[in-house]
């Protein structure tokens, strides 16, 4: 695993979704929690180690889903509250982490107590949020000088075969080089950290991975069939991989942190 950090950064960049379209895509994750848990990657330990300030004891993980990032917080001994709008996703999280306080809600309306947390994390979900409203809510539940963490896993499209794979999968969350998340005026000192890592998967597991993405979940049957056929051709015929063969799928994890003013 290789990681590198960088401070500051240029202007805002990355994918931009119309508000209505963003809500439609976000709703596609309401069901399918078990499948999501099985096929989506976790996050590198390096991400949480860099994010968490010394002495942190409590954390809220917003848009927690099935608990992919929650796991890292629990492993580090934090008392964790997990918030997600999907009952189905939270059911999987509660099975894996019964000690976590899991409740339905959103980053804009968590229902959590004022000034209750040292850290608030939002992993693979900030692009579904209204950044200004969510920032105000997160500032409310953070203690003075608490840390906001925004985390994204994305395919490492600097690798040529992965770049083409991402196009076939319609992996629209691959950030542009000048990406910088939009956060509210309640926070300062935004800085980032990059972790390069690989996830061992079979071609069949990569085909299941595409079925957990918002583009596929919202598509009609004809579009789904086309995506699946194209992916099968690419992995088995064009790249020549055998069924069951272990591939190392390269990822980048971007971790951002800022401090409550």
């Amino acid at each position: 695993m290789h990681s590198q950090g960088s401070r500051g950064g240029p202007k805002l960049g990355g994918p931009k979704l119309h508000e209505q379209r963003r809500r439609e895509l976000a709703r596609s994750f309401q069901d399918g929690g078990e499948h999501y848990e099985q096929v989506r990657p976790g996050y590198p330990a390096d991400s949480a180690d860099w994010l968490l300030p010394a002495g942190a004891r409590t954390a809220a993980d917003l848009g927690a889903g099935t608990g992919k990032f929650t796991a890292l917080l629990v492993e580090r001994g934090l008392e964790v509250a997990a918030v997600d709008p999907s009952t189905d996703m939270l059911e999987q999280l509660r099975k894996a982490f019964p000690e976590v306080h899991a409740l339905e809600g959103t980053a804009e309306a968590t229902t959590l107590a004022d000034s209750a947390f040292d850290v608030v994390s939002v992993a693979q979900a900030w692009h579904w949020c209204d950044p200004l409203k969510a920032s105000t809510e997160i500032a409310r539940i953070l203690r003075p000088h608490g840390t906001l963490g925004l985390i994204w896993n994305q395919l490492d499209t600097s690798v040529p075969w992965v770049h083409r794979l991402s196009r076939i999968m319609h992996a629209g969350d691959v950030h542009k080089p000048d990406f910088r998340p939009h956060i509210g005026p309640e926070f300062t000192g935004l800085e980032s950290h990059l972790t390069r890592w690989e996830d061992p998967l079979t071609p069949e597991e990569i085909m299941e991975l595409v079925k957990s993405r918002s583009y596929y979940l919202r598509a009609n049957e004809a579009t789904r069939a086309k995506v699946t056929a194209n992916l099968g051709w690419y992995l088995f015929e064009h790249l020549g991989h055998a069924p069951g063969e272990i591939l190392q799928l390269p990822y980048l994890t971007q971790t951002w942190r800022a401090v409550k003013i």
Side-chain angles (χ1 to χ4, degrees):
M1 181 186 297
H2 171 71
S3 63
Q4 61 188 43
S6 63
R7 294 177 181 270
K11 62 182 181 180
L12 296 175
K16 294 178 173 62
L17 293 174
H18 184 275
E19 177 71 16
Q20 183 60 32
R21 179 62 173 159
R22 183 178 68 190
R23 291 177 180 175
E24 289 175 0
L25 291 172
R27 283 197 294 269
S28 66
F29 293 107
Q30 286 295 315
D31 300 315
E34 185 174 1
H35 184 259
Y36 188 100
E37 172 61 22
Q38 290 172 350
V39 305
R40 280 295 183 106
Y43 295 88
D46 177 73
S47 174
D49 291 338
W50 179 82
L51 172 63
L52 295 177
R57 296 183 179 181
T58 57
D61 191 23
L62 310 184
T66 62
K68 295 289 188 178
F69 195 80
T70 310
L72 297 182
L73 302 173
V74 171
E75 288 170 6
R76 281 151 185 77
L78 277 70
E79 180 182 343
V80 183
V83 178
D84 197 271
S86 168
T87 303
D88 197 53
M89 293 282 186
L90 289 177
E91 182 180 343
Q92 298 299 316
L93 188 149
R94 290 185 178 109
K95 288 179 182 177
F97 307 105
E99 70 274 35
V100 169
H101 175 50
L103 66 160
E104 291 185 35
T106 66
E108 297 86 352
T110 65
T111 73
L112 296 169
D114 292 354
S115 304
F117 301 95
D118 299 314
V119 178
V120 172
S121 58
V122 186
Q124 215 72 19
W126 192 246
H127 48 289
W128 304 128
C129 303
D130 179 315
L132 295 181
K133 291 180 180 178
S135 292
T136 298
E137 174 69 352
I138 291 167
R140 181 186 67 78
I141 66 175
L142 274 173
R143 295 189 174 120
H145 310 297
T147 298
L148 165 64
L150 307 178
I151 307 97
W152 280 273
N153 273 340
Q154 60 182 52
L155 296 172
D156 185 355
T157 56
S158 68
V159 180
W161 78 267
V162 179
H163 182 265
R164 189 166 182 182
L165 176 71
S166 73
R167 298 292 295 272
I168 295 171
M169 292 174 64
H170 292 268
D173 56 353
V174 175
H175 294 150
K176 296 178 181 178
D178 65 348
F179 172 74
R180 187 173 171 83
H182 188 193
I183 60 175
E186 299 89 350
F187 295 93
T188 188
L190 183 66
E191 56 184 345
S192 68
H193 182 79
L194 185 67
T195 309
R196 298 180 183 274
W197 61 286
E198 295 178 333
D199 194 24
L201 294 174
T202 65
E204 293 87 349
E205 288 172 330
I206 292 176
M207 294 186 73
E208 287 301 310
L209 178 63
V210 74
K211 296 177 184 178
S212 74
R213 304 190 70 90
S214 59
Y215 176 85
Y216 184 93
L217 292 171
R218 295 290 298 177
N220 59 35
E221 289 303 318
T223 299
R224 290 183 177 187
K226 182 179 179 181
V227 170
T228 302
N230 288 344
L231 191 56
W233 168 84
Y234 183 60
L235 293 170
F236 295 113
E237 296 184 39
H238 183 72
L239 295 179
H241 294 300
E245 179 183 350
I246 298 297
L247 312 179
Q248 297 296 331
L249 184 59
Y251 274 94
L252 299 177
T253 298
Q254 290 183 332
T255 309
W256 297 82
R257 69 185 177 197
V259 177
K260 177 182 172 181
I261 296 174

